[in-house]
Amino acid sequence: MENDFREDGSPSGTPGLSPAQARAALEGLDADGATLAERAVTPWWYHLTFGTIVAVIICTQALPSPASLITLPVALFALPVLVLVYRRRYGLWFSQPAGPRSKRIYQVMLTTILLCFGAMLVVRFTEIEYTWVLVPASVGFVAAVVLGPLYDRAFRRELAGTER
């Protein structure tokens, strides 16, 4: 029977890398991450637009039924359009946080926005005055506009390997 492993334990079909070659490959990956982090700068308008879309989605619940039925789908459709515009303009998109800090900021932002949607439903289905929907709409807008750039900075640092 033939053995598919070399004496050093590596499979015979793959070339063995020396420690120097492995270090050079890893350094190349770090350089690629730093280059990608330079390209991953989100424009000023992105988080402002995202915050506005979140606020509009929340505010639609205070609108009368026909206006709400028109405005809500338009606002929901604007979310993927925002992503598509960003992807086409900048040629990249990241769907996951790059490390622990960006993940925490992302989770806080997502949780805050989801709580705002929950508050919107409370206003919608209770006897609370509809003007109170402005509170969760404002909080959702601020969460997107403030936490979005914080997430971007943490993401770029982690992607570049300057923060782990």
Side-chain angles (χ1 to χ4, degrees), residues 141-163:
F141 177 81
V142 169
V145 171
V146 172
L147 294 175
L150 289 175
Y151 168 79
D152 284 343
R153 279 192 292 279
F155 180 86
R156 284 194 318 271
R157 282 188 206 123
E158 290 169 338
L159 187 61
T162 58
E163 182 176 305

PDB file of all heavy atoms in Angstrom, residues 141-163:
ATOM      1  N   PHE A 141     -32.629  57.193  14.193  1.00  0.00           N
ATOM      2  CA  PHE A 141     -31.813  58.048  13.323  1.00  0.00           C
ATOM      3  C   PHE A 141     -30.452  58.317  13.961  1.00  0.00           C
ATOM      4  O   PHE A 141     -29.411  58.154  13.316  1.00  0.00           O
ATOM      5  CB  PHE A 141     -32.554  59.367  13.047  1.00  0.00           C
ATOM      6  CG  PHE A 141     -31.756  60.332  12.233  1.00  0.00           C
ATOM      7  CD1 PHE A 141     -31.695  60.212  10.859  1.00  0.00           C
ATOM      8  CD2 PHE A 141     -31.068  61.371  12.840  1.00  0.00           C
ATOM      9  CE1 PHE A 141     -30.960  61.110  10.100  1.00  0.00           C
ATOM     10  CE2 PHE A 141     -30.325  62.270  12.094  1.00  0.00           C
ATOM     11  CZ  PHE A 141     -30.274  62.136  10.708  1.00  0.00           C
ATOM     12  N   VAL A 142     -30.464  58.704  15.224  1.00  0.00           N
ATOM     13  CA  VAL A 142     -29.206  59.015  15.927  1.00  0.00           C
ATOM     14  C   VAL A 142     -28.333  57.762  16.042  1.00  0.00           C
ATOM     15  O   VAL A 142     -27.110  57.836  15.873  1.00  0.00           O
ATOM     16  CB  VAL A 142     -29.495  59.640  17.310  1.00  0.00           C
ATOM     17  CG1 VAL A 142     -28.241  59.730  18.154  1.00  0.00           C
ATOM     18  CG2 VAL A 142     -30.119  61.022  17.137  1.00  0.00           C
ATOM     19  N   ALA A 143     -28.939  56.615  16.307  1.00  0.00           N
ATOM     20  CA  ALA A 143     -28.158  55.368  16.405  1.00  0.00           C
ATOM     21  C   ALA A 143     -27.426  55.091  15.098  1.00  0.00           C
ATOM     22  O   ALA A 143     -26.237  54.745  15.105  1.00  0.00           O
ATOM     23  CB  ALA A 143     -29.067  54.193  16.762  1.00  0.00           C
ATOM     24  N   ALA A 144     -28.112  55.263  13.974  1.00  0.00           N
ATOM     25  CA  ALA A 144     -27.481  55.001  12.679  1.00  0.00           C
ATOM     26  C   ALA A 144     -26.399  56.029  12.363  1.00  0.00           C
ATOM     27  O   ALA A 144     -25.323  55.680  11.881  1.00  0.00           O
ATOM     28  CB  ALA A 144     -28.534  54.996  11.571  1.00  0.00           C
ATOM     29  N   VAL A 145     -26.662  57.282  12.671  1.00  0.00           N
ATOM     30  CA  VAL A 145     -25.723  58.355  12.315  1.00  0.00           C
ATOM     31  C   VAL A 145     -24.511  58.389  13.244  1.00  0.00           C
ATOM     32  O   VAL A 145     -23.406  58.723  12.812  1.00  0.00           O
ATOM     33  CB  VAL A 145     -26.462  59.711  12.298  1.00  0.00           C
ATOM     34  CG1 VAL A 145     -25.510  60.872  12.146  1.00  0.00           C
ATOM     35  CG2 VAL A 145     -27.486  59.728  11.170  1.00  0.00           C
ATOM     36  N   VAL A 146     -24.680  58.022  14.507  1.00  0.00           N
ATOM     37  CA  VAL A 146     -23.564  58.062  15.467  1.00  0.00           C
ATOM     38  C   VAL A 146     -22.815  56.728  15.502  1.00  0.00           C
ATOM     39  O   VAL A 146     -21.583  56.693  15.411  1.00  0.00           O
ATOM     40  CB  VAL A 146     -24.070  58.441  16.880  1.00  0.00           C
ATOM     41  CG1 VAL A 146     -22.975  58.292  17.909  1.00  0.00           C
ATOM     42  CG2 VAL A 146     -24.609  59.863  16.870  1.00  0.00           C
ATOM     43  N   LEU A 147     -23.547  55.614  15.629  1.00  0.00           N
ATOM     44  CA  LEU A 147     -22.891  54.314  15.746  1.00  0.00           C
ATOM     45  C   LEU A 147     -22.346  53.805  14.414  1.00  0.00           C
ATOM     46  O   LEU A 147     -21.377  53.051  14.391  1.00  0.00           O
ATOM     47  CB  LEU A 147     -23.847  53.287  16.350  1.00  0.00           C
ATOM     48  CG  LEU A 147     -24.270  53.546  17.796  1.00  0.00           C
ATOM     49  CD1 LEU A 147     -25.305  52.522  18.243  1.00  0.00           C
ATOM     50  CD2 LEU A 147     -23.064  53.526  18.713  1.00  0.00           C
ATOM     51  N   GLY A 148     -22.955  54.216  13.307  1.00  0.00           N
ATOM     52  CA  GLY A 148     -22.469  53.789  11.994  1.00  0.00           C
ATOM     53  C   GLY A 148     -21.019  54.171  11.751  1.00  0.00           C
ATOM     54  O   GLY A 148     -20.193  53.304  11.422  1.00  0.00           O
ATOM     55  N   PRO A 149     -20.640  55.452  11.895  1.00  0.00           N
ATOM     56  CA  PRO A 149     -19.229  55.812  11.722  1.00  0.00           C
ATOM     57  C   PRO A 149     -18.302  55.165  12.748  1.00  0.00           C
ATOM     58  O   PRO A 149     -17.159  54.831  12.422  1.00  0.00           O
ATOM     59  CB  PRO A 149     -19.234  57.338  11.863  1.00  0.00           C
ATOM     60  CG  PRO A 149     -20.614  57.742  11.468  1.00  0.00           C
ATOM     61  CD  PRO A 149     -21.495  56.637  11.962  1.00  0.00           C
ATOM     62  N   LEU A 150     -18.773  54.968  13.994  1.00  0.00           N
ATOM     63  CA  LEU A 150     -17.950  54.261  14.987  1.00  0.00           C
ATOM     64  C   LEU A 150     -17.676  52.831  14.530  1.00  0.00           C
ATOM     65  O   LEU A 150     -16.567  52.326  14.654  1.00  0.00           O
ATOM     66  CB  LEU A 150     -18.643  54.251  16.347  1.00  0.00           C
ATOM     67  CG  LEU A 150     -18.722  55.571  17.098  1.00  0.00           C
ATOM     68  CD1 LEU A 150     -19.552  55.397  18.371  1.00  0.00           C
ATOM     69  CD2 LEU A 150     -17.343  56.089  17.419  1.00  0.00           C
ATOM     70  N   TYR A 151     -18.708  52.185  14.013  1.00  0.00           N
ATOM     71  CA  TYR A 151     -18.553  50.831  13.486  1.00  0.00           C
ATOM     72  C   TYR A 151     -17.541  50.825  12.335  1.00  0.00           C
ATOM     73  O   TYR A 151     -16.672  49.959  12.283  1.00  0.00           O
ATOM     74  CB  TYR A 151     -19.909  50.303  13.006  1.00  0.00           C
ATOM     75  CG  TYR A 151     -19.790  49.043  12.199  1.00  0.00           C
ATOM     76  CD1 TYR A 151     -19.598  47.810  12.816  1.00  0.00           C
ATOM     77  CD2 TYR A 151     -19.858  49.073  10.809  1.00  0.00           C
ATOM     78  CE1 TYR A 151     -19.480  46.651  12.072  1.00  0.00           C
ATOM     79  CE2 TYR A 151     -19.732  47.917  10.061  1.00  0.00           C
ATOM     80  CZ  TYR A 151     -19.553  46.715  10.694  1.00  0.00           C
ATOM     81  OH  TYR A 151     -19.421  45.573   9.963  1.00  0.00           O
ATOM     82  N   ASP A 152     -17.660  51.789  11.433  1.00  0.00           N
ATOM     83  CA  ASP A 152     -16.740  51.856  10.288  1.00  0.00           C
ATOM     84  C   ASP A 152     -15.289  51.993  10.733  1.00  0.00           C
ATOM     85  O   ASP A 152     -14.403  51.321  10.196  1.00  0.00           O
ATOM     86  CB  ASP A 152     -17.092  53.025   9.374  1.00  0.00           C
ATOM     87  CG  ASP A 152     -18.314  52.743   8.523  1.00  0.00           C
ATOM     88  OD1 ASP A 152     -18.700  51.569   8.401  1.00  0.00           O
ATOM     89  OD2 ASP A 152     -18.880  53.711   7.986  1.00  0.00           O
ATOM     90  N   ARG A 153     -15.045  52.867  11.694  1.00  0.00           N
ATOM     91  CA  ARG A 153     -13.670  53.054  12.170  1.00  0.00           C
ATOM     92  C   ARG A 153     -13.123  51.772  12.801  1.00  0.00           C
ATOM     93  O   ARG A 153     -12.000  51.359  12.523  1.00  0.00           O
ATOM     94  CB  ARG A 153     -13.591  54.220  13.156  1.00  0.00           C
ATOM     95  CG  ARG A 153     -13.531  55.572  12.480  1.00  0.00           C
ATOM     96  CD  ARG A 153     -13.163  56.667  13.448  1.00  0.00           C
ATOM     97  NE  ARG A 153     -14.191  56.946  14.446  1.00  0.00           N
ATOM     98  CZ  ARG A 153     -15.260  57.708  14.228  1.00  0.00           C
ATOM     99  NH1 ARG A 153     -15.446  58.265  13.061  1.00  0.00           N
ATOM    100  NH2 ARG A 153     -16.127  57.915  15.179  1.00  0.00           N
ATOM    101  N   ALA A 154     -13.930  51.142  13.643  1.00  0.00           N
ATOM    102  CA  ALA A 154     -13.490  49.889  14.286  1.00  0.00           C
ATOM    103  C   ALA A 154     -13.288  48.801  13.235  1.00  0.00           C
ATOM    104  O   ALA A 154     -12.311  48.052  13.286  1.00  0.00           O
ATOM    105  CB  ALA A 154     -14.522  49.448  15.327  1.00  0.00           C
ATOM    106  N   PHE A 155     -14.179  48.734  12.275  1.00  0.00           N
ATOM    107  CA  PHE A 155     -14.085  47.730  11.215  1.00  0.00           C
ATOM    108  C   PHE A 155     -12.795  47.906  10.420  1.00  0.00           C
ATOM    109  O   PHE A 155     -12.075  46.939  10.166  1.00  0.00           O
ATOM    110  CB  PHE A 155     -15.303  47.851  10.293  1.00  0.00           C
ATOM    111  CG  PHE A 155     -15.300  46.864   9.167  1.00  0.00           C
ATOM    112  CD1 PHE A 155     -15.813  45.597   9.340  1.00  0.00           C
ATOM    113  CD2 PHE A 155     -14.789  47.207   7.921  1.00  0.00           C
ATOM    114  CE1 PHE A 155     -15.810  44.677   8.300  1.00  0.00           C
ATOM    115  CE2 PHE A 155     -14.778  46.299   6.883  1.00  0.00           C
ATOM    116  CZ  PHE A 155     -15.292  45.031   7.073  1.00  0.00           C
ATOM    117  N   ARG A 156     -12.494  49.141  10.026  1.00  0.00           N
ATOM    118  CA  ARG A 156     -11.275  49.394   9.234  1.00  0.00           C
ATOM    119  C   ARG A 156     -10.020  49.075  10.040  1.00  0.00           C
ATOM    120  O   ARG A 156      -9.071  48.512   9.512  1.00  0.00           O
ATOM    121  CB  ARG A 156     -11.253  50.835   8.733  1.00  0.00           C
ATOM    122  CG  ARG A 156     -12.199  51.064   7.573  1.00  0.00           C
ATOM    123  CD  ARG A 156     -11.950  52.373   6.856  1.00  0.00           C
ATOM    124  NE  ARG A 156     -11.683  53.495   7.716  1.00  0.00           N
ATOM    125  CZ  ARG A 156     -12.603  54.308   8.221  1.00  0.00           C
ATOM    126  NH1 ARG A 156     -13.870  54.109   7.962  1.00  0.00           N
ATOM    127  NH2 ARG A 156     -12.251  55.326   8.979  1.00  0.00           N
ATOM    128  N   ARG A 157     -10.003  49.434  11.328  1.00  0.00           N
ATOM    129  CA  ARG A 157      -8.836  49.109  12.169  1.00  0.00           C
ATOM    130  C   ARG A 157      -8.641  47.601  12.271  1.00  0.00           C
ATOM    131  O   ARG A 157      -7.526  47.098  12.171  1.00  0.00           O
ATOM    132  CB  ARG A 157      -9.003  49.703  13.564  1.00  0.00           C
ATOM    133  CG  ARG A 157      -8.726  51.172  13.622  1.00  0.00           C
ATOM    134  CD  ARG A 157      -8.715  51.643  15.080  1.00  0.00           C
ATOM    135  NE  ARG A 157      -9.049  53.033  15.123  1.00  0.00           N
ATOM    136  CZ  ARG A 157     -10.063  53.566  15.801  1.00  0.00           C
ATOM    137  NH1 ARG A 157     -10.820  52.794  16.550  1.00  0.00           N
ATOM    138  NH2 ARG A 157     -10.304  54.843  15.762  1.00  0.00           N
ATOM    139  N   GLU A 158      -9.725  46.879  12.491  1.00  0.00           N
ATOM    140  CA  GLU A 158      -9.629  45.427  12.624  1.00  0.00           C
ATOM    141  C   GLU A 158      -9.258  44.777  11.288  1.00  0.00           C
ATOM    142  O   GLU A 158      -8.487  43.822  11.252  1.00  0.00           O
ATOM    143  CB  GLU A 158     -10.941  44.864  13.161  1.00  0.00           C
ATOM    144  CG  GLU A 158     -11.175  45.239  14.602  1.00  0.00           C
ATOM    145  CD  GLU A 158     -12.570  44.923  15.109  1.00  0.00           C
ATOM    146  OE1 GLU A 158     -13.507  44.789  14.290  1.00  0.00           O
ATOM    147  OE2 GLU A 158     -12.717  44.823  16.329  1.00  0.00           O
ATOM    148  N   LEU A 159      -9.786  45.304  10.202  1.00  0.00           N
ATOM    149  CA  LEU A 159      -9.471  44.758   8.882  1.00  0.00           C
ATOM    150  C   LEU A 159      -7.996  44.993   8.546  1.00  0.00           C
ATOM    151  O   LEU A 159      -7.332  44.118   7.976  1.00  0.00           O
ATOM    152  CB  LEU A 159     -10.364  45.407   7.820  1.00  0.00           C
ATOM    153  CG  LEU A 159     -10.296  44.845   6.418  1.00  0.00           C
ATOM    154  CD1 LEU A 159     -10.713  43.382   6.408  1.00  0.00           C
ATOM    155  CD2 LEU A 159     -11.183  45.653   5.495  1.00  0.00           C
ATOM    156  N   ALA A 160      -7.489  46.150   8.914  1.00  0.00           N
ATOM    157  CA  ALA A 160      -6.095  46.471   8.637  1.00  0.00           C
ATOM    158  C   ALA A 160      -5.136  45.739   9.572  1.00  0.00           C
ATOM    159  O   ALA A 160      -3.936  45.717   9.348  1.00  0.00           O
ATOM    160  CB  ALA A 160      -5.864  47.978   8.764  1.00  0.00           C
ATOM    161  N   GLY A 161      -5.679  45.156  10.637  1.00  0.00           N
ATOM    162  CA  GLY A 161      -4.838  44.422  11.572  1.00  0.00           C
ATOM    163  C   GLY A 161      -4.196  45.299  12.630  1.00  0.00           C
ATOM    164  O   GLY A 161      -3.346  44.856  13.374  1.00  0.00           O
ATOM    165  N   THR A 162      -4.634  46.569  12.737  1.00  0.00           N
ATOM    166  CA  THR A 162      -4.070  47.450  13.738  1.00  0.00           C
ATOM    167  C   THR A 162      -4.776  47.309  15.077  1.00  0.00           C
ATOM    168  O   THR A 162      -4.317  47.835  16.083  1.00  0.00           O
ATOM    169  CB  THR A 162      -4.132  48.930  13.288  1.00  0.00           C
ATOM    170  OG1 THR A 162      -5.491  49.287  13.037  1.00  0.00           O
ATOM    171  CG2 THR A 162      -3.282  49.143  12.058  1.00  0.00           C
ATOM    172  N   GLU A 163      -5.915  46.625  15.102  1.00  0.00           N
ATOM    173  CA  GLU A 163      -6.659  46.418  16.345  1.00  0.00           C
ATOM    174  C   GLU A 163      -7.283  45.032  16.285  1.00  0.00           C
ATOM    175  O   GLU A 163      -7.976  44.694  15.346  1.00  0.00           O
ATOM    176  CB  GLU A 163      -7.754  47.473  16.470  1.00  0.00           C
ATOM    177  CG  GLU A 163      -8.539  47.382  17.724  1.00  0.00           C
ATOM    178  CD  GLU A 163      -9.548  48.514  17.811  1.00  0.00           C
ATOM    179  OE1 GLU A 163      -9.169  49.672  17.713  1.00  0.00           O
ATOM    180  OE2 GLU A 163     -10.725  48.191  17.968  1.00  0.00           O
TER     181      GLU A 163
END
